[in-house]
Amino acid sequence: MSYLDNIVFAIVLVVSIGYFAKNVKKIIRNIKLGQNVDRTDNSAARCRNMTLVALGQKKMFTRPIPALLHFMLYAAFVITQIELLEIIVDGLFGTHRFFKISLGGFYTFLISFIEILSLLALIATVLFLIRRNLLKLPRLNKEELLGWPKKDANLILIMEIILVLCIFTMNGTDEVLYSLGNSHFEGIGSFNFAISQFLGPAFFGGLSEGTLHILERIGWWGHFLMVMAFLNYLYYSKHLHILLAFPNTYFANLKPQGEFDNLEAVTKEVKLMMDPNADPFAAPAEGAELPAKFGASDIQDLNWVQLLNAYTCTECGRCSSVCPANTTGKKLSPRKIMMDTRDRMEEVGRNIDANKGVFVPDNKSLLNDYITPEELWACTSCNACVEECPVSISPLSIIMDMRRYLVMEQSAAPAALNSMMTNVENNGAPWPYNQQDRLNWKNEL
Amino acid sequence: MSENLIVPTMAEMLAQGKQPEVLFWVGCAGSFDDRAKKITKAFVRILNSANVSFAVLGTEESCTGDPAKRAGNEFLFQMQAMMNIEVLNAYEAKKIVTACPHCFNTLKNEYPELGGKYEVVHHTEFLKSLLNDGRLSIEGGQFKGKKITFHDPCYLGRANKIYEAPRDLIEKLDVELVEMKRSKANGLCCGAGGAQMFKDAEKGNKEINIERTEDALETTPDIIATGCPFCNTMMTDGIKHKEKEKEGEVKVMDIAELIANAQDL
Ligand code: SF4
Ligand code: SF4
């Protein structure tokens, strides 16, 4: 009978981790729907990027106040995982504060540190809630955030608050119990944790022993269940970034931002066209794979880094708040580009799940059903969004690939661009001037 | 009437068996746009006065393909690129200087993979190196004490991380360099990039160049300095829209023009 707790605990743990693993597999499969692109070069620079941008949150600090608040949450999140480890050991083996004896004084320091960070995280969370819901910061109140994204953001903040309350309930009641000599931890005295040694007596002093034990368990189980819930919630949330920020910054583009890739398939064709000795009617070489299409109209045409980007996006809207098109009222919002890409990827994923592992065409595509040409044509390719993104996402690369599809597959460029392109083709300049007049400026006054 | 600019072409150089120190890539705007042609000439005047051996391709130059590529037309871009690379390689071009950040970016970053490997520098970097080598001296002249703000072109700044060369040159003019609230990596686009120059903007509540001109005017400058012919047009239009130019209050000038005019070249 006394093992019931441990059995329930083990089941919750296994089911949670199992379900999470299943979703992780789904994420990996969906990302692999993308085209291949090689991002294995220069691992030293990639590691440096990951350390600075994901671990060190370098880009966040361009806006110091939210950066600091975010950092508190982040630090608290990372270090509470040590407490989780203890909870897992205690839960499985029926021990209590298993690390205390082996770690000794360091244990007191560690838990005190967790308590201080938790308190800071609590403050940050409340301020974030106020900022998001009362201050109406423009970038956090844009159209694309209506509905689920907004709920998602608030929900996670509330979960965070509950988690912190659980930590303090657990430690506070245990402190009182310990001072009475009734803690599951042997002996009598004070745990000397930075906050709960005061907070415990103040809030829970005077309660009956039975109530204290119940509250302690509520805090303990609450903490554990909250973390397991959070783990499984990640998949459905923008908070996936706490995991994916790492691979995403590792695989980020290292080339100059102005350098757009030269489509290889196009190079082959252009070389063939320009080579006077090539036989234009020759059959394509054996094994030469022709691309299905030029540019991208759906998620399968994007590369896996772009899809990883979409899963990593935190929906913070920093990109859109610096986008010249977005801030002057145009429909384009780089954040929406990323959110649409993820939504479509999820839709395709569900389609595959429902059809025994194969995608059955659904007459929809990322282009038009999610992202409109009007949005795509508003981009000045200025790279402000790329520069600004705290997790090294490039909305611009998706915009460019979709423009390529519009132009090369559908000849659907705006009329003015078509005449620009005709001019380039015929006159070697975007304007209708004769190439022979290129040096006329030399003799003009 | 010509102003006696000495502008040799690569073909002429080759005929004399000479290889210039640097090939000046003029670009479409620099060749055809009335405003940008002034920048081209100012730059040539500096090159002439500093005795730099340079040459242009002249009628053999063609669009780099940048606007086609940013518009999504990779075919057209690569055709342009390969034709240009053929010409450049035939002349064994080594070092290229250009006053257009779009040409600069494309030649520098996108041509190498297609077989065009050159040392490519923006004219502000090139002028800076002339200055460092003592081949060029810069004085304030008519601009002494003036307030100047510099608008970072996206394809020079964020795209290629060149922020200091233009600023160093401006400071040499004995002027007060003031920064806009959005500058360097946080600079705001003038609205012309990504082939936007050649089409109307999508519907919104403001033109981007107006927004950017307002950033510049906030610093109450005498001159808005640019390093890109397209930015120059956008900012000039912005100033006209704000009707500042009528009274001659605020001028938009390329850094090459500032230097050439300060020296009365
Ligand atoms: S690159 Fe395009 S989407 Fe990104 S900030 Fe500039 S205009 Fe906006
Ligand atoms: S793309 Fe980057 S900057 Fe934009 S919303 Fe997503 S995480 Fe934020």
Side-chain angles (χ1 to χ4, degrees):
Chain A
M1 188 59 206
S2 65
Y3 288 119
L4 191 63
D5 260 12
N6 310 36
I7 292 167
V8 172
F9 185 90
I11 290 172
V12 174
L13 188 68
V14 168
V15 169
S16 301
I17 292 179
Y19 193 69
F20 175 67
K22 193 177 140 215
N23 280 336
V24 168
K25 262 205 201 139
K26 218 179 261 183
I27 292 171
I28 294 171
R29 182 209 55 202
N30 288 355
I31 288 174
K32 281 191 174 158
L33 292 174
Q35 302 288 316
N36 201 19
V37 51
D38 184 24
R39 289 281 168 88
T40 51
D41 60 319
N42 208 342
S43 51
R46 295 187 178 283
C47 283
R48 186 159 9 98
N49 246 356
M50 183 170 73
T51 313
L52 283 176
V53 180
L55 198 66
Q57 307 191 357
K58 176 177 146 206
K59 293 255 175 148
M60 289 289 287
F61 280 92
T62 50
R63 301 188 202 203
I65 294 175
L68 210 66
L69 296 179
H70 183 268
F71 195 80
M72 289 181 196
L73 276 183
Y74 166 71
F77 171 81
V78 171
I79 191 150
T80 34
Q81 302 319 313
I82 299 173
E83 187 146 27
L84 180 70
L85 215 62
E86 184 178 54
I87 287 184
I88 291 175
V89 175
D90 286 347
L92 289 177
F93 303 109
T95 50
H96 188 73
R97 297 196 180 272
F98 179 78
F99 291 168
K100 184 164 161 55
I101 293 175
S102 49
L103 294 181
F106 185 63
Y107 183 79
T108 313
F109 168 77
L110 206 64
I111 302 290
S112 295
F113 196 44
I114 289 174
E115 287 194 345
I116 291 168
L117 284 175
S118 300
L119 190 68
L120 290 175
L122 187 68
I123 297 169
T125 312
V126 172
L127 292 177
F128 271 142
L129 274 170
I130 292 174
R131 187 175 70 135
R132 200 168 265 279
N133 298 291
L134 298 179
L135 294 187
K136 301 272 174 237
L137 212 66
R139 82 179 149 93
L140 301 179
N141 285 283
K142 282 274 163 69
E143 212 179 333
E144 64 255 28
L145 291 189
L146 293 179
W148 168 245
K150 192 177 171 92
K151 273 197 213 108
D152 176 22
N154 281 328
L155 207 65
I156 206 84
L157 290 170
I158 291 166
M159 280 167 101
E160 179 76 27
I161 292 182
I162 297 175
L163 187 73
V164 173
L165 293 182
C166 285
I167 291 180
F168 283 122
T169 308
M170 173 175 95
N171 286 352
T173 50
D174 205 22
E175 170 76 16
V176 179
L177 284 167
Y178 192 44
S179 72
L180 299 172
N182 281 324
S183 168
H184 290 297
F185 190 77
E186 243 169 75
I188 183 165
S190 167
F191 288 119
N192 285 321
F193 299 147
I195 293 173
S196 57
Q197 63 169 312
F198 306 110
L199 189 141
F203 276 84
F204 307 108
L207 293 179
S208 77
E209 197 187 308
T211 315
L212 284 169
H213 274 300
I214 290 171
L215 283 175
E216 196 273 336
R217 284 293 95 183
I218 288 178
W220 189 89
W221 274 99
H223 184 159
F224 171 65
L225 291 175
M226 217 59 230
V227 176
M228 291 300 113
F230 184 80
L231 184 70
N232 280 292
Y233 177 73
L234 284 184
Y235 173 72
Y236 304 94
S237 157
K238 64 177 185 142
H239 286 85
L240 207 44
H241 78 263
I242 62 174
L243 300 176
L244 294 188
F246 292 89
N248 198 71
T249 47
Y250 184 86
F251 292 118
N253 180 27
L254 293 178
K255 293 182 173 163
Q257 285 174 2
E259 177 178 346
F260 295 2
D261 59 335
N262 295 320
L263 286 186
E264 231 174 280
V266 172
T267 312
K268 275 188 211 133
E269 299 223 351
V270 171
K271 278 203 173 129
L272 209 64
M273 267 158 55
M274 300 202 20
D275 181 359
N277 303 318
D279 172 6
F281 302 108
E286 201 68 36
E289 213 181 303
L290 274 184
K293 51 180 148 176
F294 295 110
S297 64
D298 211 344
I299 57 134
Q300 292 93 335
D301 313 322
L302 295 171
N303 66 49
W304 64 266
V305 172
Q306 291 167 319
L307 299 184
L308 173 64
N309 278 183
Y311 267 130
T312 309
C313 175
T314 74
E315 298 170 15
C316 66
R318 284 159 192 257
C319 51
S320 298
S321 75
V322 295
C323 170
N326 188 264
T327 48
T328 54
K330 279 98 184 155
K331 283 226 175 76
L332 170 65
S333 160
R335 166 172 57 190
K336 181 177 170 292
I337 300 286
M338 300 319 299
M339 293 170 70
D340 286 342
T341 304
R342 178 172 174 174
D343 288 349
R344 174 59 183 160
M345 196 176 14
E346 281 287 291
E347 185 177 58
V348 170
R350 284 194 300 275
N351 179 316
I352 292 174
D353 288 336
N355 295 297
K356 303 191 183 71
V358 281
F359 176 66
V360 176
D362 57 357
N363 285 324
K364 282 170 119 186
S365 66
L366 181 60
L367 181 67
N368 297 325
D369 293 300
Y370 288 82
I371 300 170
T372 60
E374 181 181 343
E375 291 164 64
L376 298 171
W377 289 119
C379 174
T380 71
S381 75
C382 71
N383 264 305
C385 52
V386 184
E387 179 79 35
E388 190 72 8
C389 179
V391 286
S392 306
I393 285 169
S394 173
L396 174 57
S397 76
I398 295 179
I399 295 172
M400 282 313 305
D401 282 347
M402 295 185 79
R403 276 191 185 180
R404 285 170 169 174
Y405 177 83
L406 282 174
V407 171
M408 291 190 285
E409 292 285 340
Q410 301 204 308
S411 308
L417 287 187
N418 278 332
S419 50
M420 176 273 286
M421 292 188 281
T422 311
N423 286 327
V424 170
E425 200 170 342
N426 297 336
N427 313 322
W431 298 285
Y433 297 113
N434 194 320
Q435 188 160 359
Q436 292 313 309
D437 295 337
R438 269 214 176 234
L439 205 48
N440 288 3
W441 56 267
K442 178 179 152 184
N443 302 314
E444 291 165 11
L445 186 63
Chain B
M1 194 190 92
S2 149
E3 348 165 26
N4 294 327
L5 296 177
I6 306 158
V7 191
T9 61
M10 289 300 278
E12 289 162 7
M13 282 268 180
L14 186 71
Q16 298 165 23
K18 283 195 273 186
Q19 176 69 256
E21 176 188 344
V22 61
L23 188 156
F24 173 29
W25 185 276
V26 183
C28 301
S31 305
F32 294 120
D33 180 86
D34 284 334
R35 178 68 188 82
K37 281 192 269 189
K38 293 188 185 150
I39 304 172
T40 307
K41 288 192 221 171
F43 184 57
V44 169
R45 270 185 246 128
I46 302 174
L47 293 178
N48 282 169
S49 94
N51 285 321
V52 175
S53 131
F54 76 99
V56 298
L57 283 175
T59 55
E60 291 182 275
E61 187 185 288
S62 184
C63 174
T64 58
D66 162 82
K69 187 173 183 98
R70 312 295 137 183
N73 196 336
E74 185 70 12
F75 271 103
L76 182 50
F77 162 71
Q78 292 201 12
M79 285 198 305
Q80 289 298 122
M82 287 189 203
M83 286 189 315
N84 283 323
I85 289 169
E86 228 168 76
V87 175
L88 288 167
N89 288 353
Y91 284 117
E92 291 174 29
K94 302 246 155 25
K95 186 168 178 173
I96 301 176
V97 62
T98 177
C100 173
H102 296 270
C103 297
F104 166 71
N105 177 70
T106 307
L107 292 167
K108 181 182 164 75
N109 296 324
E110 287 157 2
Y111 275 32
E113 217 175 79
L114 301 171
K117 299 191 175 70
Y118 321 102
E119 182 194 348
V120 187
V121 290
H122 185 244
H123 72 316
T124 56
E125 286 179 295
F126 188 68
L127 292 173
K128 180 80 202 300
S129 70
L130 291 181
L131 187 74
N132 289 348
D133 298 346
R135 298 167 71 185
L136 172 72
S137 63
I138 298 180
E139 280 153 36
Q142 52 170 289
F143 302 113
K144 217 176 176 130
K146 289 259 164 44
K147 209 170 173 188
I148 299 186
T149 189
F150 178 65
H151 161 77
D152 287 283
C154 302
Y155 275 86
L156 186 64
R158 266 192 304 272
N160 289 291
K161 305 277 171 278
I162 295 172
Y163 302 112
E164 295 315 322
R167 286 177 170 76
D168 290 348
L169 292 170
I170 293 172
E171 277 178 337
K172 280 277 177 291
L173 289 166
D174 265 329
V175 299
E176 185 194 348
L177 175 64
V178 281
E179 293 292 348
M180 298 181 216
K181 66 174 193 246
R182 295 185 263 204
S183 68
K184 299 190 183 170
N186 299 319
L188 182 76
C189 178
C190 69
Q196 296 294 335
M197 184 76 191
F198 307 101
K199 63 184 259 298
D200 285 330
E202 272 56 37
K203 215 164 92 311
N205 45 39
K206 205 187 223 177
E207 296 288 339
I208 295 171
N209 67 326
I210 305 299
E211 173 93 357
R212 188 50 170 167
T213 305
E214 286 168 358
D215 277 3
L217 291 179
E218 250 174 48
T219 67
T220 61
D222 298 305
I223 292 159
I224 301 171
T226 60
C228 169
F230 297 105
C231 297
N232 194 304
T233 303
M234 287 311 219
M235 300 304 276
T236 306
D237 288 351
I239 292 288
K240 273 191 199 134
H241 180 90
K242 294 265 161 197
E243 289 176 304
K244 285 268 181 189
E245 210 176 44
K246 237 186 353 215
E247 306 102 274
E249 269 184 64
V250 181
K251 283 206 179 73
V252 181
M253 294 177 89
D254 190 273
I255 290 179
E257 294 178 298
L258 287 171
I259 294 174
N261 290 8
Q263 249 77 314
D264 272 331
L265 295 176

